Amino acid sequence: MPKRKTTTLSLAIVCFTLLAALALIRDDLCKVEYRNGAMLLNVVLAYEVRG
């Protein structure tokens, strides 16, 4: 396979993998929770859609 075709195929596979991962975790993208012993850090992204 030519080098250009291999590079394009590799890029397509990486993009598809990223899209699949985002589809699986899309509900958790706006909330991050970190626990360290007794400490809990909870960060929530609040946004509004302007129409």
Side-chain angles (χ1 to χ4, degrees):
M1 222 187 296
K3 185 173 182 169
R4 182 179 172 108
K5 193 171 186 179
T6 304
T7 304
T8 304
L9 182 62
S10 298
L11 183 61
I13 290 171
V14 168
C15 290
F16 179 76
T17 304
L18 286 174
L19 287 174
L22 284 174
L24 290 173
I25 63 167
R26 68 175 178 253
D27 295 333
D28 295 330
L29 288 176
C30 296
K31 181 180 177 185
V32 176
E33 187 174 302
Y34 175 74
R35 287 181 194 258
N36 185 8
M39 185 178 73
L40 171 65
L41 177 65
N42 195 9
V43 179
V44 179
L45 173 66
Y47 63 92
E48 293 182 21
V49 178
R50 294 183 181 180

